[in-house]
Amino acid sequence: MLLSETKFEQPCPIRDVLDRIGDQWSLLVIDALDGGTRRFGELTRSVDDISRQMLSKTLKRLEQDGLVKRTVYAEIPPRVDYDLTPLGRSFLVPMRSLVAWADHNHGAIVAARAGYKGGAD
């Protein structure tokens, strides 16, 4: 197998990561977990407008990517805690920078969209 063939089998790291964390909910869930361990119900209340089904799906994807740790306790009723892993915690710094940039520049972006006349492709 040629080196160039293996290169195309692996996804682009930037696109791969940004596609996963750039969805509608992942950043909000990560932000909610920044305060420490949370139970599912706490996360549901912390992330406005997220359905239980979407929160469950988002947590599973973040767990799959190694950003969130899920701990199940054998209690009655069962208790499940969610927390950021060291990898998830390492994402907080660039995430905060991105959020700050978006907050600072949102007005300019909205104005640019409003003034956009379009162009010939």
Side-chain angles (χ1 to χ4, degrees):
M1 187 178 295
L2 298 173
L3 180 59
S4 61
E5 290 176 359
T6 60
K7 179 180 175 183
F8 293 108
E9 290 176 9
Q10 298 297 318
C12 169
I14 296 167
R15 230 181 337 217
D16 185 44
V17 171
L18 290 180
D19 282 349
R20 293 296 286 245
I21 60 164
D23 65 19
Q24 183 176 359
W25 302 109
S26 292
L27 293 178
L28 297 173
V29 171
I30 291 169
D31 185 57
L33 288 169
D34 183 16
T37 302
R38 298 281 183 104
R39 296 181 73 178
F40 190 86
E42 292 175 299
L43 288 170
T44 303
R45 290 186 294 278
S46 295
V47 181
D48 290 335
D49 299 327
I50 193 168
S51 69
R52 293 176 66 82
Q53 180 181 7
M54 185 52 66
L55 177 57
S56 178
K57 180 179 177 182
T58 301
L59 285 166
K60 285 178 186 175
R61 289 182 67 167
L62 292 171
E63 185 181 5
Q64 179 184 21
D65 287 344
L67 301 173
V68 169
K69 177 183 171 193
R70 178 178 184 261
T71 305
V72 180
Y73 297 92
E75 299 176 356
I76 297 177
R79 185 178 106 208
V80 180
D81 288 342
Y82 296 92
D83 203 355
L84 293 174
T85 64
L87 182 62
R89 291 217 164 274
S90 75
F91 179 65
L92 291 173
V93 172
M95 183 185 88
R96 287 183 191 123
S97 294
L98 175 62
V99 168
W101 183 91
D103 188 48
H104 180 76
N105 292 290
H106 188 246
I109 292 169
V110 169
R113 288 177 186 160
Y116 181 70
K117 304 292 187 223
D121 289 337

